[in-house]
Amino acid sequence: MLAKLRFNNVVGKKIVMAITGLAMCIFLVGHLVGNLLLIWGKDKFNAYGSFLISLPIVPIIELGLLAILLFHVWDALVLLKGNYEARPIPYHSKTWGRTKSKKSKKTWASTFMMTSGIIILLFIVFHVWHFKYHNPVASRPVGDGHNSSIVLFPGQPTVGQTTSGQNSGKEAFDLAQLVVNELSNPIVAGIYILCMITLALHLYHAVSSAFTSLGANHPRYQKGLMWFGNIFTFVVCGGFTLIPLLIVLKVVQ
Amino acid sequence: MSETITREAPAEIGTNGNGHHNGSAPPRVLDSKIPSGPVADKWEKHKFDMKLVNPANKRKFTIIVVGTGLAGASAAATLAELGYNVQAFTYHDSPRRAHSIAAQGGINAAKNYQNDGDSIYRLFYDTVKGGDFRAREANVYRLAQTSVNIIDQCVAQGVPFAREYGGYLDNRSFGGAQVSRTFYARGQTGQQLLLGAYQALMRQVQRGAVNLFTRREMLDTVIVDGVARGITVRNLVTGEIESHAADAVLLCTGGYSNVYYLSTNAKACNVTAPWRAYKKGAFFANPCYTQIHPTCIPVSGDYQSKLTLMSESLRNDGRVWVPKAVGDKRSPETIPEDERDYFLERRYPSYGNLAPRDISSRAAKQVCDEGRGAGETGLSVYLDFADSIKRLGLETVQARYGNLFHMYHHITAEDPYKQPMRIYPAVHYTMGGLWVDYNLMTTVPGLFALGECNFSDHGANRLGASALMQGLADGYFVIPYTIGNYLAGGAMPKVSTSQDEFKLSAHETQAHINKMLSVKGKRTVAEIHRDLGHLMWDYVGMARNREGLTSVLPKIQGLREEFWNDVRVPGEANNLNQNLELAGRVADFLEFGELLAVDALHREESCGGHFREEYQTEEGEAQRDDENFSYVAAWEYNGEQAPNLHKEPLEFEEVHLAQRSYK
Amino acid sequence: MSASNGTKKNMNLKLLVWRQSGGKDKGKMTTYQANDISPDMSFLEMLDVVNENIIRDGGEPIAFEHDCREGICGSCGVMINGVAHGPDEGTAACQLHMRSFNDGDEIVIEPWRARAFPVIRDLVVDRSALDRIIAAGGYISVNTGNAPDGNAIPIPKEMSNDAMDSAACIGCGACIAQCKNASAALFTSAKIAHLALLPQGDPERGERVIRMVAQMDAEKFGSCSNEGECEAVCPKEIQMTNISLMNREYERAILANKK
């Protein structure tokens, strides 16, 4: 099917990159909205969490997200290989690669897309493990806020009962408390914040670039799309950064 | 003033009757094969009279096309569409590099879209008159007829011609024409037309109908039994000498302006292909007709490698002047009005700064020769926009000439808004070329010449925006018919590149290359080329005279000897060697330059691009001698001896001969 | 650029030039001295001067491609200090003037680098891949003689202008040379856009973009990262919007494709 639709070339792959990337951006918006509930109130957040878990479609969406991610990563790697091979002999000049022209959209962000992508991938793996599979004792009392379970406690059970939607509920699984517990550790919060900055770096180039790859770029809308990309990046990444920041600053407890 | 002329039968005529063999005797008339009948019906009648090749048989014929500019690419593509087996050759890395790409102004066509009185007949008339009555009426009429098809064809190919707001094609008046018949695509008309032809060619390459050979330079024509049956080329990457056989050979190799070293032509433009064909029996016609363009950016130093043309439209609002006093080197802004000589306005009050190309060029040379030229070199005249800016406002001038001013500023670092531009004439186009008959065939059967390479439809002077028209007319609409007539003439014996004729040609070509490499002297090829350019420009340039032409002949011969005794061609023959390529071209220019001077010496009149100082009116205008020189001078190679002159008389049935006057 | 004639003195420059005797040779950077260079020279004229001196000294001159020297044929093109066609924007190397440099500068001159552009000699590379992309579909299939009257289809002035903007490409390959991925997206898309914008090109739109993109891929050019370095070095200032137009055309084509 895909071969028939001819996605298997440099243009097609970039279209796949753009579609999968933008899909993940949409996910990010949903994710962010949910997370921000934490600032509004822990119970709101937990209610939202249990509502999500009660939906039977969630595992399918999760699988879908995984597939999208894999497509995105796989195509990125294939394109990287192709791009690497497209210029086997590098330039001698050290000033190559940056024209200093106003027309160039080359930035730190665009230059280090692959690096930021890899960091984000590692972060996703960690993040999913951290809040989904690495299930610390959720109902443990909050205490001083320093008993973050991420601190390496070997032998901690990583699979909890909470993934089954049945015995969910505030008493059984206080996700909000878990988040607060975890992110109270400044190191963990720092990791999250750094990763969000990396994500911002990635999205800063990626969003507007995705529109170009999809062909939505147009002399008249070009500026608007650039701004949309920048604002989107700022709002999403800023929003995600806000949560660990507020927790570390003890605004959210 | 008009006059009728009587003509005697030409005296010096060579070549024998059957036309299939070279030789000196018995003499025959140079037959232009112009069809009979009224001029307006000749082409239609001829198209019907010509024999056709059966569609199934076309693929059995192989046609070699040398050069992939407008004429070559359009011919190769069209012949392949018809079903012929085409082999196209270019010395560039891609057909799209041909110098047709640099034409700026536009292309003429008698569409009369503007409803301003244009017609095929008017375009025909203007072209014959503009060519100073030295062109063939029948050819020019056909050119005007096909011009309308060219525009249709190019639009269909996707050439983005300028449009009006209603979506219809826009026209402008060009080069002093009184009707607006010039179609244009910004200042890049040549580029867009060439890309159209190039794309059509690449489509046929993809189909397998054209075999494209890039980075091959044609170095010889192979004649078998008196008929052109192939070419010898050098593979410019490997240095290999290759032979290619075919049933007909088309030379579409452009003009020879680079014999002057500095010209507006691309660096690689050369005379080699037609010159080597000349040495194999093709006649070379009217080499002395060279066109000078008045508005080029002047030379700034010895290192100058080429000249850049600016659109003539600048003269619409610019005023041309030089200081009145000899040796006045003050900066132009400080020279008061009454010490300036607006020489074009003074000499040609009604046309003023818009006097035709040749006339304004000569006038500029004259004032520079008097020592009144502008700039450090003294070889330029001012083109001043100060008055226009005052009269029209800066914005209008900017809108009209912004891109040209920008280009000028970029190249010279002088701001034409603040100080006057400096311009000087430069060689730009050559009307002479291989002699061809009405079917575009040279005196060697099976050898055709198209575009600027043939002696062309422009007579002694080409009108602006007519070069593109002629190249495409020849390629798209003339040769596809006439070649069929030639090929249908009878079965040709099979030839193979293993035949002696091919081997001999390859051997001679290799020997020529080895000889150049073995001189190992002290002078570089570019130096000698520059010297030749100086000689040509000084003695065989814009204004020529008997004394100068006589004295330059031994000088060219001497330079040629110097080349063969003292040239240094670095490197080897078996790889990419750009200096070797250049050396071969310069060696041919050194021979050709002499023929150009001989032709200029023999033509004792002034006409179009050929101005002999002895033959001018009291006002200093060109004076034709229709009685004695209303003919095409076709030169036949005669070994070491002086070339033989053949004359093709020109008959004017439609257009009355008249003296051009631009007073 | 702003310097007026004669205000700048002749310069001495140090050139670091890529020399490679043929496709099989490994090649290396070699140093040359370019002395007494006039600021009014073009970059290629400066190379001419250097070459004349090399020849006089018994060496082999630096091979570089050039022809029209007025920025339209697309023959010339070298990396000058890591920038395709050098520091002046919208300018091919042949129209770059030495007044853009200063006395004592070191100038690094390299050939276009891409797998699809193998070096033939010194600064000369084989760009025939670009011809093959055009051959794959960069035309309107109209045989000579088929054409209706030029005014049969009115084309809006603006549309014609846009097509002209894209059609101005000179095929020099600078976009590819500058791109970090050696992508031919700008070159290919300029031709696709030129023909797709015009009504004459409409019937073949889908087939054209699919075939040209497939050829571009087959030539092993990299992918477009939308950085716009190509636009920055393009001597004809072809815009990146062509690339998104190509992507749009491609999507349209593959969705409509029946095969």
Side-chain angles (χ1 to χ4, degrees):
Chain A
M1 170 67 182
L2 284 182
K4 208 171 184 183
L5 280 181
R6 301 170 203 249
F7 282 120
N8 197 21
N9 58 43
V10 284
V11 171
K13 284 206 180 71
K14 286 296 288 189
I15 293 171
V16 172
M17 290 293 288
I19 294 173
T20 52
L22 288 178
M24 289 190 280
C25 285
I26 293 169
F27 162 75
L28 281 182
V29 174
H31 191 13
L32 177 65
V33 170
N35 285 11
L36 289 178
L37 291 173
L38 188 64
I39 302 172
W40 192 12
K42 282 194 207 157
D43 47 342
K44 300 272 189 320
F45 181 72
N46 280 336
Y48 165 72
S50 40
F51 166 70
L52 269 190
I53 288 165
S54 69
L55 291 177
I57 200 168
V58 164
I60 300 169
I61 292 177
E62 284 176 340
L63 279 178
L65 279 173
L66 182 66
I68 286 172
L69 178 70
L70 288 180
F71 265 117
H72 195 80
V73 171
W74 175 250
D75 268 1
L77 293 174
V78 173
L79 287 171
L80 176 72
K81 180 170 176 282
N83 293 343
Y84 185 75
E85 288 170 356
R87 178 168 292 126
I89 302 171
Y91 286 108
H92 177 88
S93 174
K94 289 179 183 58
T95 45
W96 171 74
R98 195 69 214 264
T99 54
K100 293 180 199 142
S101 160
K102 275 185 206 144
K103 293 179 203 156
S104 173
K105 296 190 207 46
K106 192 183 179 83
T107 53
W108 283 92
S110 69
T111 307
F112 295 105
M113 282 300 276
M114 195 45 76
T115 319
S116 58
I118 289 168
I119 293 172
I120 294 162
L121 181 66
L122 293 174
F123 168 74
I124 291 171
V125 173
F126 163 72
H127 178 62
V128 170
W129 168 79
H130 187 197
F131 284 122
K132 192 170 166 68
Y133 295 106
H134 162 70
N135 247 310
V137 186
S139 51
R140 185 182 286 182
V142 183
D144 59 344
H146 287 290
N147 58 344
S148 171
S149 59
I150 192 68
V151 183
L152 305 166
F153 284 130
Q156 273 280 358
T158 51
V159 182
Q161 316 84 322
T162 48
T163 40
S164 78
Q166 298 306 319
N167 57 346
S168 62
K170 260 191 274 187
E171 300 77 25
F173 179 47
D174 190 347
L175 185 61
Q177 195 55 51
L178 168 69
V179 171
V180 172
N181 284 353
E182 296 296 306
L183 293 181
S184 303
N185 181 337
I187 296 173
V188 177
I191 290 173
Y192 269 82
I193 290 171
L194 277 178
C195 286
M196 285 310 107
I197 291 170
T198 314
L199 180 66
L201 200 66
H202 199 73
L203 291 188
Y204 178 68
H205 176 71
V207 180
S208 57
S209 171
F211 286 124
T212 306
S213 293
L214 283 176
N217 200 341
H218 185 279
R220 232 174 70 211
Y221 312 122
Q222 194 174 17
K223 259 210 167 131
L225 287 171
M226 283 284 279
W227 275 108
F228 174 77
N230 294 351
I231 292 168
F232 179 88
T233 305
F234 182 77
V235 169
V236 169
C237 299
F240 278 119
T241 311
L242 205 58
I243 294 159
L245 204 63
L246 292 180
I247 292 173
V248 168
L249 297 175
K250 299 197 192 304
V251 178
V252 174
Q253 290 196 349
Chain B
M1 180 179 100
S2 75
E3 48 184 311
T4 49
I5 52 164
T6 51
R7 226 169 286 100
E8 288 176 3
E12 310 94 314
I13 313 165
T15 41
N16 56 20
N18 61 25
H20 276 254
H21 295 281
N22 292 329
S24 47
R28 63 149 184 170
V29 175
L30 204 51
D31 183 5
S32 56
K33 304 216 175 77
I34 295 172
S36 58
V39 69
D41 302 336
K42 283 180 197 285
W43 180 232
E44 283 306 316
K45 177 177 176 296
H46 191 58
K47 280 203 275 192
F48 182 74
D49 289 344
M50 280 187 287
K51 283 170 273 185
L52 299 173
V53 179
N54 182 309
N57 283 340
K58 284 191 179 124
R59 66 186 160 82
K60 294 179 188 161
F61 289 107
T62 299
I63 300 168
I64 282 176
V65 180
V66 186
T68 56
L70 278 184
S74 59
T78 306
L79 294 173
E81 286 163 10
L82 288 171
Y84 294 107
N85 191 356
V86 177
Q87 301 192 329
F89 293 80
T90 170
Y91 55 62
H92 286 116
D93 66 322
S94 162
R96 68 184 298 159
R97 313 275 183 229
H99 196 57
S100 310
I101 206 154
Q104 298 170 357
I107 177 167
N108 287 332
K111 279 285 197 185
N112 194 28
Y113 280 154
Q114 305 304 322
N115 196 27
D116 59 358
D118 197 16
S119 63
I120 287 171
Y121 196 87
R122 189 177 294 279
L123 175 55
F124 154 73
Y125 187 93
D126 287 355
T127 306
V128 171
K129 181 177 174 230
D132 224 353
F133 306 97
R134 291 294 174 264
R136 249 187 226 147
E137 274 191 349
N139 283 48
V140 176
Y141 198 88
R142 176 177 65 187
L143 178 67
Q145 276 176 310
T146 47
S147 70
V148 294
N149 304 99
I150 294 171
I151 297 305
D152 299 342
Q153 182 62 30
C154 294
V155 168
Q157 286 173 342
V159 170
F161 282 122
R163 301 263 167 177
E164 289 166 356
Y165 281 103
Y168 294 101
L169 290 161
D170 190 17
N171 294 114
R172 60 182 170 199
S173 144
F174 197 80
Q178 284 170 311
V179 291
S180 292
R181 61 160 77 99
T182 304
F183 295 79
Y184 64 101
R186 298 217 180 119
Q188 289 146 269
T189 319
Q191 180 200 26
Q192 292 310 312
L193 295 176
L194 179 66
L195 291 182
Y198 157 73
Q199 286 163 205
L201 172 64
M202 294 316 286
R203 172 172 161 242
Q204 298 305 320
V205 170
Q206 184 81 351
R207 276 186 62 218
V210 173
N211 204 348
L212 177 64
F213 296 88
T214 57
R215 297 192 192 270
R216 304 293 203 292
E217 181 165 25
M218 175 186 153
L219 294 176
D220 200 13
T221 313
V222 181
I223 316 269
V224 180
D225 296 331
V227 180
R229 294 307 301 271
I231 56 171
T232 303
V233 301
R234 180 169 180 268
N235 181 325
L236 299 183
V237 177
T238 64
E240 208 176 322
I241 303 298
E242 303 171 348
S243 296
H244 295 267
D247 298 294
V249 176
L250 273 50
L251 299 186
C252 315
T253 56
Y256 48 79
S257 299
N258 276 348
V259 70
Y260 292 91
Y261 182 68
L262 286 180
S263 79
T264 66
N265 278 17
K267 289 299 286 176
C269 291
N270 65 78
V271 76
T272 291
W275 187 248
R276 306 263 169 111
Y278 164 78
K279 288 170 104 173
K280 284 292 179 79
F283 294 1
F284 210 112
N286 298 338
C288 75
Y289 293 160
T290 52
Q291 190 173 66
I292 314 279
H293 197 288
T295 51
C296 295
I297 297 177
V299 176
S300 63
D302 283 341
Y303 50 82
Q304 187 99 18
S305 63
K306 85 151 269 173
L307 297 170
T308 305
L309 181 149
M310 291 184 297
S311 168
E312 236 176 320
S313 65
L314 286 170
R315 292 199 284 145
N316 289 339
D317 288 308
R319 295 181 72 193
V320 178
W321 64 276
V322 287
K324 276 187 179 156
V326 172
D328 186 345
K329 289 289 168 199
R330 284 176 292 173
S331 87
E333 309 87 90
T334 61
I335 300 179
E337 200 61 25
D338 59 345
E339 290 178 42
R340 298 176 177 191
D341 178 13
Y342 294 91
F343 57 93
L344 285 178
E345 294 170 17
R346 172 171 59 81
R347 288 176 58 179
Y348 310 99
S350 69
Y351 270 75
N353 297 301
L354 289 170
R357 289 178 175 185
D358 50 339
I359 288 172
S360 22
S361 299
R362 268 198 309 277
K365 180 181 186 314
Q366 232 165 34
V367 293
C368 291
D369 289 349
E370 289 164 13
R372 299 193 286 142
E376 275 173 54
T377 56
L379 288 175
S380 62
V381 298
Y382 293 119
L383 180 62
D384 202 333
F385 286 85
D387 286 354
S388 295
I389 292 174
K390 231 178 274 167
R391 180 166 47 90
L392 303 164
L394 186 68
E395 268 173 39
T396 312
V397 171
Q398 223 156 9
R400 284 188 195 165
Y401 308 109
N403 55 346
L404 289 166
F405 279 26
H406 178 80
M407 176 175 90
Y408 180 84
H409 192 171
H410 192 104
I411 292 175
T412 62
E414 294 173 0
D415 183 356
Y417 293 107
K418 298 200 180 106
Q419 58 190 114
M421 277 186 172
R422 292 183 303 115
I423 56 168
Y424 200 62
V427 188
H428 159 62
Y429 186 89
T430 55
M431 281 72 66
L434 289 179
W435 183 89
V436 290
D437 61 18
Y438 190 68
N439 297 316
L440 302 182
M441 190 159 85
T442 67
T443 47
V444 176
L447 182 68
F448 295 78
L450 282 66
E452 193 181 349
C453 177
N454 70 28
F455 85 100
S456 98
D457 306 340
H458 305 298
N461 177 48
R462 179 178 65 76
L463 291 181
S466 282
L468 301 177
M469 174 172 72
Q470 189 228 342
L472 289 179
D474 287 358
Y476 281 135
F477 297 110
V478 179
I479 199 72
Y481 292 91
T482 59
I483 202 150
N485 188 47
Y486 170 73
L487 294 172
M492 264 181 275
K494 281 244 166 284
V495 288
S496 122
T497 52
S498 56
Q499 269 171 251
D500 287 347
E501 289 88 346
F502 284 91
K503 283 185 181 161
L504 182 66
S505 167
H507 177 77
E508 284 173 357
T509 305
Q510 187 68 61
H512 185 75
I513 289 168
N514 294 345
K515 196 176 157 197
M516 287 189 290
L517 283 167
S518 65
V519 178
K520 295 189 192 302
K522 287 192 196 68
R523 302 208 64 202
T524 66
V525 181
E527 279 172 4
I528 296 178
H529 193 184
R530 205 176 285 134
D531 288 355
L532 175 67
H534 281 310
L535 288 179
M536 298 305 291
W537 181 249
D538 290 346
Y539 297 98
V540 204
M542 276 185 278
R544 302 150 178 180
N545 60 55
R546 182 192 311 276
E547 196 188 345
L549 290 167
T550 317
S551 70
V552 80
L553 288 171
K555 287 183 179 134
I556 298 172
Q557 288 157 1
L559 194 61
R560 194 161 66 225
E561 266 171 48
E562 195 178 339
F563 178 90
W564 288 108
N565 290 324
D566 199 22
V567 76
R568 169 176 291 191
V569 184
E572 291 136 19
N574 60 357
N575 57 15
L576 181 73
N577 186 340
Q578 292 172 321
N579 242 263
L580 178 62
E581 296 164 24
L582 180 65
R585 293 164 193 163
V586 171
D588 289 336
F589 276 136
L590 285 163
E591 294 175 2
F592 170 75
E594 192 179 336
L595 182 70
L596 203 165
V598 166
D599 187 44
L601 182 62
H602 121 277
R603 189 166 282 277
E604 295 179 325
E605 63 163 350
S606 295
C607 60
H610 170 65
F611 187 84
R612 284 280 299 265
E613 286 166 351
E614 304 96 314
Y615 308 102
Q616 51 182 313
T617 63
E618 277 173 22
E619 297 95 13
E621 304 308 333
Q623 191 159 43
R624 287 199 321 271
D625 179 355
D626 293 325
E627 193 122 358
N628 296 307
F629 288 95
S630 183
Y631 62 76
V632 175
W635 299 91
E636 181 191 14
Y637 181 65
N638 197 16
E640 296 295 298
Q641 314 287 313
N644 297 328
L645 173 65
H646 301 262
K647 295 176 181 174
E648 180 203 333
L650 291 168
E651 305 191 12
F652 294 92
E653 292 164 357
E654 292 289 334
V655 183
H656 289 295
L657 290 143
Q659 182 90 40
R660 289 200 303 166
S661 173
Y662 293 94
K663 279 268 154 188
Chain C
M1 193 55 200
S2 53
S4 156
N5 242 4
T7 53
K8 231 174 165 177
K9 288 216 174 84
N10 285 4
M11 303 173 273
N12 294 332
L13 302 158
K14 187 181 157 196
L15 307 184
L16 205 54
V17 186
W18 180 259
R19 300 302 310 262
Q20 181 176 346
S21 65
K24 282 172 193 147
D25 182 35
K26 281 190 79 175
K28 61 175 195 299
M29 300 299 295
T30 308
T31 307
Y32 296 93
Q33 197 64 36
N35 291 337
D36 202 23
I37 297 299
S38 157
D40 287 330
M41 278 184 194
S42 76
F43 191 82
L44 301 188
E45 282 166 350
M46 182 273 294
L47 284 181
D48 287 342
V49 169
V50 172
N51 272 345
E52 289 287 290
N53 288 333
I54 294 176
I55 296 171
R56 283 193 202 97
D57 294 345
E60 288 201 32
I62 303 159
F64 64 94
E65 258 181 310
H66 63 94
D67 199 19
C68 77
R69 299 205 175 193
E70 48 186 277
I72 192 74
C73 75
S75 296
C76 68
V78 287
M79 293 301 272
I80 300 165
N81 287 336
V83 179
H85 290 304
D88 277 14
E89 277 185 32
T91 304
C94 60
Q95 293 213 302
L96 171 67
H97 282 76
M98 295 312 292
R99 62 183 83 97
S100 299
F101 298 90
N102 295 310
D103 190 31
D105 277 1
E106 180 182 289
I107 307 176
V108 184
I109 309 170
E110 296 175 84
W112 289 168
R113 292 283 187 205
R115 183 179 176 187
F117 288 169
V119 172
I120 293 174
R121 179 167 200 168
D122 298 342
L123 306 172
V124 178
V125 300
D126 179 359
R127 286 172 287 192
S128 54
L130 302 184
D131 285 327
R132 291 191 291 274
I133 291 176
I134 297 295
Y139 44 73
I140 289 168
S141 299
V142 52
N143 282 1
T144 306
N146 271 353
D149 186 83
N151 263 345
I153 318 171
I155 301 174
K157 186 184 172 83
E158 202 180 330
M159 191 187 271
S160 182
N161 279 343
D162 287 350
M164 181 64 216
D165 285 341
S166 301
C169 168
I170 56 174
C172 63
C175 46
I176 294 146
Q178 192 68 32
C179 175
K180 69 174 181 188
N181 304 333
S183 164
L186 192 66
F187 169 81
T188 310
S189 66
K191 187 47 69 190
I192 289 171
H194 160 211
L195 298 175
L197 286 167
L198 294 170
Q200 302 96 299
D202 195 58
E204 291 173 284
R205 265 170 96 172
E207 191 69 6
R208 177 184 305 120
V209 66
I210 286 180
R211 287 166 58 177
M212 288 180 76
V213 165
Q215 188 63 37
M216 177 173 85
D217 202 52
E219 299 288 350
K220 305 287 179 201
F221 288 107
S223 65
C224 174
S225 288
N226 303 319
E227 284 190 331
E229 287 274 287
C230 50
E231 184 180 329
V233 296
C234 177
K236 291 291 147 190
E237 306 185 304
I238 309 267
Q239 294 186 355
M240 257 190 77
T241 45
N242 286 289
I243 297 178
S244 51
L245 191 141
M246 169 176 74
N247 296 339
R248 195 157 68 230
E249 286 291 305
Y250 189 74
E251 286 153 15
R252 185 180 175 276
I254 57 176
L255 290 175
N257 189 27
K258 289 181 189 135
K259 279 179 248 166

